[in-house]
Amino acid sequence: MELHRIDLDRPGHLLDGYYAAYVAGDDERPEPPRSRPRFAWMITRGWAGYPHEAWAAVADGEVVGGYALEFPEDENPHLAELIALTVHPAHRRRGVGRALIAHVHERARANGRGAVLTWARAEGATAGFAQALGFDQTYASVRRLLDLRTAGWDRYRELAAVRVPGYELEYWDGPARGARLDDLTALMQGMNDAPQAEGVDKPDWGRERVAFAEEALGPCRQRSLVVVARRLADGVPAGFTRIYVDEDGEPAWGLQADTTVLREHRGRRLGVLLKAANLVRLRRDAPSVERLVTWNAASNAPMVAVNDELGYRPLDAWGQWTAQSAT
C-alpha cells in the first residue's frame, strides 16, 4: 500500500476513489452519505478557509481509503483536525486504518501540531478503533432525528403562529450577503455559548470566516433555509435557525443546523418559534425532505429541551476524540 497526496486543485481519480471508499465505508450511519460536492469541499476547503491536505491509500492501483487534515489558524493552532478517515470495507483488518492513523500523526507533527482532533461515533466499531489507537473522547454529542412523515404539523403551525411581543421573523433562502452577512456574523457569536470540549478553543466567528462558509453553499450544492428573529424597535437580530438541504444528495434527508438566541433576548421562547416556523416553511418549500438530523452537546439542556418539544428523538451518540501526536 502507498499513500498519495491528493492535489486539492486537480484531485482527479484519487478523489473519485477516496469518495467511493467513503460511500462504501459509511456503513454505521442510517442516513445517506454526504453528496460528492459537499464531500469534496469538506476535504479540500472546509468551512473556515484554513489550510487542508488530503491523502489517498492506494493498493494495486486501487484507492482503498483516505483521510484529510485541516490546520486551524485563528484558534486551536496546536491541533490538526482529522476529517473523513475511511477504509473500504473490502480492505479492512489488513492494517490500512492503522497505517493511515500513523501517517496522520506524522503529518500533524510536520505541520507543528501536537494533537489530532476528530469527530466519530461514541459506540460501535469506530469507537473501538479510536480507543485502540490512543484516542480519548473529550466531548459527548447526541444526534437526534425528526421524522417529518409522522410529525405533529398542527402543533408546528400553532407554535409558528405565536407572536413574541417586540419581535418579528424574517426568512432567508441562500447565502447571506451585505447587511444580512453582518447580521449573521453577529448571530454566530451566540453559538459559542454552547458547551465546548476542554482544551479546545471556541471558533472565531469573524465576518470573513462567516462569508467563506456562506459562499461554500454554491460549490457544496446546498440550500440554506434561514429564519431570523429581529427586535422591532431597532431591527437588531436576536436569534436565528437554519436547515440545510443537499441539492445533489438524498432529497429525503435534511440537516437542522445552527440555532441560537443571543443572551439579551432569551427567555421569550424565540428558539421554539424559530425552529417551528422553519419547519412549516420547509414543508412548503422543500416537501421532499422526510427526515431531519441535528446535533446537540449532551450537556446542552436548553436546546435539547427545545428539540424534545418538537419531536426529535435520539438517533446515536457521537464524540469529539483527541490523541497526542508529539514524539
Coordinates of all heavy atoms in Angstrom, one line a residue, residues 36-93:
R36 N -21.3 14.1 -3.2 CA -19.9 14.3 -3.6 C -19.5 15.7 -3.6 O -18.3 16.0 -3.2 CB -19.7 13.7 -5.0 CG -18.2 13.6 -5.4 CD -18.1 13.1 -6.8 NE -16.7 12.9 -7.2 CZ -15.8 13.8 -7.4 NH1 -16.1 15.1 -7.3 NH2 -14.5 13.5 -7.7
P37 N -20.3 16.7 -4.1 CA -19.8 18.1 -4.0 C -19.5 18.5 -2.5 O -18.5 19.2 -2.3 CB -21.0 18.9 -4.6 CG -21.7 17.9 -5.5 CD -21.6 16.6 -4.8
R38 N -20.4 18.2 -1.6 CA -20.1 18.5 -0.2 C -18.9 17.8 0.3 O -18.1 18.5 1.1 CB -21.4 18.2 0.6 CG -21.3 18.7 2.0 CD -22.7 18.4 2.7 NE -22.6 18.5 4.1 CZ -23.3 17.9 5.0 NH1 -24.2 17.0 4.5 NH2 -23.2 18.0 6.3
F39 N -18.7 16.6 0.0 CA -17.6 15.8 0.5 C -16.3 16.5 -0.1 O -15.3 16.7 0.7 CB -17.7 14.4 0.0 CG -16.5 13.5 0.4 CD1 -16.4 12.9 1.7 CD2 -15.5 13.3 -0.5 CE1 -15.3 12.2 2.0 CE2 -14.4 12.5 -0.1 CZ -14.3 11.9 1.1
A40 N -16.3 16.8 -1.4 CA -15.1 17.3 -2.0 C -14.7 18.7 -1.4 O -13.5 18.9 -1.1 CB -15.3 17.5 -3.5
W41 N -15.7 19.5 -1.1 CA -15.4 20.8 -0.5 C -14.9 20.6 1.0 O -14.0 21.3 1.4 CB -16.7 21.7 -0.5 CG -16.4 23.1 -0.1 CD1 -16.5 23.6 1.2 CD2 -15.9 24.1 -0.9 NE1 -16.1 24.9 1.2 CE2 -15.7 25.3 -0.1 CE3 -15.6 24.3 -2.2 CZ2 -15.3 26.5 -0.5 CZ3 -15.1 25.5 -2.7 CH2 -15.0 26.6 -1.9
M42 N -15.5 19.7 1.7 CA -15.1 19.4 3.1 C -13.6 19.0 3.2 O -13.0 19.5 4.1 CB -16.0 18.3 3.6 CG -15.7 17.9 5.1 SD -16.8 16.6 5.7 CE -16.2 15.2 4.7
I43 N -13.2 18.2 2.3 CA -11.8 17.7 2.4 C -10.8 18.6 1.8 O -9.6 18.5 2.0 CB -11.6 16.3 1.9 CG1 -11.8 16.2 0.4 CG2 -12.6 15.3 2.6 CD1 -11.2 15.0 -0.2
T44 N -11.2 19.6 0.9 CA -10.2 20.4 0.2 C -10.3 21.9 0.7 O -9.2 22.5 0.6 CB -10.5 20.4 -1.3 OG1 -11.8 20.9 -1.5 CG2 -10.4 19.0 -1.9
R45 N -11.4 22.3 1.2 CA -11.5 23.7 1.6 C -12.1 23.9 3.0 O -11.7 24.8 3.7 CB -12.4 24.5 0.6 CG -11.9 24.5 -0.8 CD -10.7 25.3 -1.0 NE -10.3 25.4 -2.4 CZ -9.5 24.6 -3.0 NH1 -9.0 23.6 -2.3 NH2 -9.2 24.7 -4.3
G46 N -13.0 23.1 3.4 CA -13.7 23.2 4.7 C -14.5 24.5 4.8 O -14.9 25.1 3.8
W47 N -14.9 24.8 6.0 CA -15.9 25.9 6.2 C -15.3 27.2 6.8 O -16.0 28.2 7.0 CB -17.0 25.4 7.2 CG -17.4 24.0 6.9 CD1 -17.4 22.9 7.8 CD2 -17.9 23.4 5.7 NE1 -17.8 21.8 7.2 CE2 -18.1 22.0 5.9 CE3 -18.2 24.0 4.4 CZ2 -18.6 21.2 4.9 CZ3 -18.6 23.1 3.4 CH2 -18.8 21.7 3.7
A48 N -14.0 27.1 7.0 CA -13.3 28.3 7.6 C -12.2 28.9 6.7 O -11.6 29.9 7.0 CB -12.8 28.0 9.0
G49 N -11.9 28.1 5.6 CA -10.8 28.6 4.7 C -9.4 28.3 5.2 O -8.4 28.8 4.7
Y50 N -9.3 27.4 6.2 CA -8.0 27.0 6.8 C -7.3 26.1 5.8 O -7.9 25.4 5.0 CB -8.1 26.4 8.1 CG -8.6 27.3 9.2 CD1 -9.5 26.8 10.2 CD2 -8.3 28.7 9.2 CE1 -9.9 27.7 11.2 CE2 -8.8 29.5 10.2 CZ -9.6 29.0 11.2 OH -10.1 29.8 12.2
P51 N -5.9 26.0 5.9 CA -5.2 25.0 5.1 C -5.7 23.6 5.3 O -6.0 23.2 6.4 CB -3.7 25.2 5.5 CG -3.7 26.6 6.1 CD -5.0 26.8 6.8
H52 N -5.7 22.8 4.2 CA -6.1 21.4 4.2 C -5.0 20.6 3.4 O -4.3 21.1 2.5 CB -7.4 21.2 3.5 CG -8.6 21.5 4.3 ND1 -8.9 22.8 4.8 CD2 -9.6 20.8 4.8 CE1 -10.0 22.8 5.5 NE2 -10.5 21.6 5.5
E53 N -5.0 19.3 3.7 CA -4.3 18.4 2.8 C -5.1 17.1 2.9 O -5.8 16.8 3.9 CB -2.9 18.2 3.2 CG -2.6 17.6 4.6 CD -1.1 17.5 4.9 OE1 -0.4 18.5 4.7 OE2 -0.7 16.4 5.3
A54 N -5.1 16.3 1.8 CA -5.8 15.1 1.8 C -4.9 14.0 1.2 O -4.1 14.3 0.3 CB -7.1 15.2 1.0
W55 N -5.1 12.8 1.6 CA -4.3 11.6 1.2 C -5.1 10.4 0.9 O -6.2 10.2 1.5 CB -3.3 11.2 2.3 CG -2.3 12.3 2.6 CD1 -2.5 13.4 3.4 CD2 -1.0 12.4 2.2 NE1 -1.4 14.2 3.4 CE2 -0.4 13.6 2.7 CE3 -0.2 11.5 1.4 CZ2 0.9 13.9 2.4 CZ3 1.1 11.9 1.1 CH2 1.7 13.1 1.6
A56 N -4.7 9.7 -0.2 CA -5.4 8.5 -0.6 C -4.5 7.3 -0.4 O -3.3 7.4 -0.7 CB -5.8 8.6 -2.1
A57 N -5.1 6.2 0.1 CA -4.3 5.0 0.3 C -4.6 4.1 -1.0 O -5.7 3.9 -1.3 CB -4.8 4.2 1.5
V58 N -3.5 3.7 -1.6 CA -3.6 3.0 -2.9 C -2.9 1.7 -2.8 O -1.8 1.6 -2.4 CB -3.0 3.8 -4.1 CG1 -3.1 3.1 -5.4 CG2 -3.7 5.2 -4.2
A59 N -3.7 0.6 -3.2 CA -3.1 -0.8 -3.2 C -3.4 -1.4 -4.5 O -4.6 -1.4 -4.9 CB -3.7 -1.6 -2.0
D60 N -2.4 -1.9 -5.2 CA -2.6 -2.5 -6.5 C -3.4 -1.6 -7.5 O -4.2 -2.1 -8.2 CB -3.3 -3.9 -6.4 CG -2.5 -4.8 -5.6 OD1 -1.2 -4.8 -5.7 OD2 -3.1 -5.6 -4.8
G61 N -3.1 -0.3 -7.4 CA -3.7 0.6 -8.3 C -5.1 1.1 -8.0 O -5.7 1.9 -8.7
E62 N -5.6 0.6 -6.8 CA -7.0 0.9 -6.4 C -6.9 1.7 -5.1 O -6.2 1.4 -4.2 CB -7.8 -0.4 -6.1 CG -9.2 -0.2 -5.6 CD -9.9 -1.5 -5.2 OE1 -9.2 -2.5 -5.4 OE2 -11.0 -1.4 -4.8
V63 N -7.8 2.8 -5.1 CA -7.9 3.6 -3.8 C -8.7 2.8 -2.8 O -9.9 2.4 -3.1 CB -8.5 4.9 -4.1 CG1 -8.7 5.7 -2.8 CG2 -7.7 5.8 -5.1
V64 N -8.1 2.5 -1.7 CA -8.8 1.7 -0.7 C -9.1 2.5 0.6 O -9.8 1.9 1.5 CB -7.9 0.5 -0.3 CG1 -7.6 -0.4 -1.5 CG2 -6.6 0.9 0.3
G65 N -8.8 3.7 0.6 CA -9.1 4.6 1.8 C -8.5 5.9 1.7 O -7.9 6.3 0.6
G66 N -8.6 6.7 2.7 CA -8.0 8.0 2.7 C -8.4 8.8 3.9 O -9.1 8.4 4.8
Y67 N -7.9 10.0 4.0 CA -8.2 11.0 5.1 C -7.8 12.4 4.6 O -7.1 12.6 3.7 CB -7.5 10.6 6.4 CG -6.0 11.0 6.4 CD1 -5.6 12.2 6.8 CD2 -5.0 10.0 6.0 CE1 -4.2 12.6 6.8 CE2 -3.7 10.4 6.0 CZ -3.3 11.7 6.4 OH -1.9 12.0 6.4
A68 N -8.3 13.3 5.4 CA -8.0 14.7 5.2 C -7.6 15.3 6.5 O -8.1 14.9 7.6 CB -9.1 15.5 4.5
L69 N -6.8 16.4 6.5 CA -6.5 17.1 7.7 C -6.7 18.6 7.5 O -6.5 19.1 6.4 CB -5.0 17.0 8.1 CG -4.6 15.7 8.8 CD1 -3.1 15.7 9.0 CD2 -5.3 15.5 10.1
E70 N -7.3 19.3 8.5 CA -7.4 20.7 8.5 C -6.5 21.3 9.6 O -6.4 20.7 10.6 CB -8.9 21.1 8.7 CG -9.1 22.6 8.7 CD -10.5 23.0 9.0 OE1 -11.0 22.7 10.1 OE2 -11.2 23.6 8.1
F71 N -5.9 22.4 9.3 CA -5.0 23.1 10.2 C -5.5 24.4 10.6 O -5.3 25.4 9.9 CB -3.6 23.2 9.6 CG -3.0 21.9 9.2 CD1 -3.0 21.5 7.8 CD2 -2.5 20.9 10.1 CE1 -2.5 20.3 7.4 CE2 -2.0 19.7 9.7 CZ -2.0 19.4 8.4
P72 N -6.3 24.5 11.7 CA -6.9 25.8 12.1 C -5.8 26.8 12.4 O -4.6 26.5 12.8 CB -7.6 25.4 13.4 CG -7.8 24.0 13.4 CD -6.6 23.4 12.6
E73 N -6.1 28.1 12.2 CA -5.2 29.2 12.3 C -5.6 30.2 13.4 O -4.8 30.6 14.2 CB -4.9 29.9 11.0 CG -4.3 29.0 10.0 CD -4.0 29.6 8.6 OE1 -4.9 30.5 8.2 OE2 -3.0 29.3 8.0
D74 N -6.9 30.6 13.3 CA -7.3 31.7 14.2 C -7.6 31.1 15.6 O -7.6 31.9 16.6 CB -8.6 32.3 13.7 CG -8.4 33.0 12.4 OD1 -7.3 33.6 12.2 OD2 -9.3 33.1 11.6
E75 N -7.8 29.8 15.8 CA -8.0 29.2 17.1 C -7.4 27.8 16.9 O -7.3 27.3 15.8 CB -9.4 29.2 17.5 CG -10.3 28.2 16.8 CD -10.8 28.7 15.4 OE1 -10.9 29.9 15.2 OE2 -11.1 27.8 14.6
N76 N -7.1 27.2 18.1 CA -6.5 25.8 18.1 C -5.3 25.6 17.2 O -5.3 24.6 16.4 CB -7.7 24.8 17.8 CG -8.8 24.9 18.7 OD1 -8.6 24.9 19.9 ND2 -10.0 25.1 18.2
P77 N -4.3 26.5 17.2 CA -3.2 26.3 16.4 C -2.3 25.1 16.8 O -1.4 24.7 16.1 CB -2.4 27.6 16.5 CG -2.8 28.1 17.9 CD -4.2 27.7 18.0
H78 N -2.7 24.5 17.9 CA -1.9 23.3 18.4 C -2.6 22.0 17.9 O -2.0 20.9 18.1 CB -1.9 23.3 19.9 CG -3.3 23.2 20.5 ND1 -4.2 24.2 20.4 CD2 -3.9 22.2 21.3 CE1 -5.3 23.9 21.0 NE2 -5.2 22.7 21.6
L79 N -3.7 22.1 17.2 CA -4.4 20.9 16.7 C -4.4 20.8 15.2 O -4.4 21.7 14.5 CB -5.9 21.0 17.2 CG -6.2 21.0 18.7 CD1 -7.7 21.2 18.9 CD2 -5.8 19.6 19.3
A80 N -4.5 19.5 14.8 CA -4.9 19.2 13.4 C -6.2 18.4 13.5 O -6.4 17.5 14.3 CB -3.8 18.3 12.8
E81 N -7.1 18.8 12.7 CA -8.4 18.2 12.7 C -8.5 17.1 11.6 O -8.3 17.4 10.4 CB -9.6 19.2 12.5 CG -10.9 18.5 12.6 CD -12.1 19.4 12.8 OE1 -11.9 20.7 12.9 OE2 -13.3 19.0 12.8
L82 N -8.7 15.9 12.0 CA -8.9 14.8 11.1 C -10.3 14.7 10.6 O -11.2 14.7 11.3 CB -8.5 13.5 11.9 CG -8.7 12.1 11.1 CD1 -7.9 12.1 9.9 CD2 -8.3 11.0 12.1
I83 N -10.4 14.6 9.2 CA -11.7 14.6 8.6 C -11.8 13.3 7.7 O -10.9 13.0 6.9 CB -11.8 15.8 7.7 CG1 -11.6 17.1 8.5 CG2 -13.2 15.8 7.0 CD1 -11.4 18.3 7.7
A84 N -12.9 12.6 7.8 CA -13.3 11.6 6.9 C -12.3 10.5 6.7 O -12.0 10.1 5.6 CB -13.7 12.2 5.5
L85 N -11.6 10.0 7.8 CA -10.8 8.9 7.7 C -11.6 7.7 7.3 O -12.6 7.4 8.0 CB -10.0 8.6 8.9 CG -9.0 7.4 8.8 CD1 -7.7 7.8 9.5 CD2 -9.6 6.2 9.5
T86 N -11.3 7.0 6.3 CA -12.1 5.9 5.8 C -11.3 4.8 5.2 O -10.2 5.0 4.6 CB -13.2 6.3 4.8 OG1 -14.1 5.3 4.6 CG2 -12.5 6.7 3.5
V87 N -11.7 3.5 5.4 CA -11.1 2.4 4.7 C -12.3 1.6 4.1 O -13.3 1.3 4.7 CB -10.4 1.5 5.7 CG1 -9.9 0.2 5.0 CG2 -9.3 2.2 6.4
H88 N -12.1 1.3 2.8 CA -13.2 0.5 2.1 C -13.4 -0.8 2.9 O -12.4 -1.5 3.3 CB -12.7 0.2 0.7 CG -13.8 -0.3 -0.2 ND1 -14.4 -1.6 -0.1 CD2 -14.5 0.3 -1.2 CE1 -15.3 -1.7 -1.0 NE2 -15.5 -0.6 -1.7
P89 N -14.6 -1.2 3.1 CA -14.9 -2.5 3.8 C -14.2 -3.7 3.3 O -13.8 -4.6 4.1 CB -16.4 -2.6 3.7 CG -17.0 -1.2 3.5 CD -15.9 -0.5 2.7
A90 N -13.9 -3.8 2.0 CA -13.3 -4.9 1.5 C -11.8 -5.0 1.8 O -11.1 -6.0 1.6 CB -13.4 -4.9 -0.1
H91 N -11.3 -3.9 2.4 CA -9.8 -3.8 2.7 C -9.6 -3.6 4.2 O -8.5 -3.2 4.6 CB -9.2 -2.7 1.9 CG -9.2 -3.0 0.4 ND1 -8.2 -3.6 -0.2 CD2 -10.1 -2.7 -0.5 CE1 -8.5 -3.7 -1.5 NE2 -9.7 -3.2 -1.7
R92 N -10.6 -3.8 5.0 CA -10.4 -3.7 6.4 C -9.7 -4.9 7.0 O -9.6 -5.9 6.4 CB -11.8 -3.4 7.1 CG -12.4 -2.1 6.8 CD -13.8 -1.9 7.4 NE -14.3 -0.6 7.0 CZ -15.6 -0.3 7.1 NH1 -16.5 -1.1 7.6 NH2 -16.0 0.9 6.8
R93 N -9.2 -4.7 8.3 CA -8.5 -5.7 9.0 C -7.2 -6.2 8.3 O -6.8 -7.3 8.4 CB -9.4 -6.9 9.3 CG -10.6 -6.5 10.1 CD -11.4 -7.7 10.6 NE -12.6 -7.3 11.3 CZ -12.6 -6.8 12.6 NH1 -11.5 -6.8 13.3 NH2 -13.8 -6.5 13.1

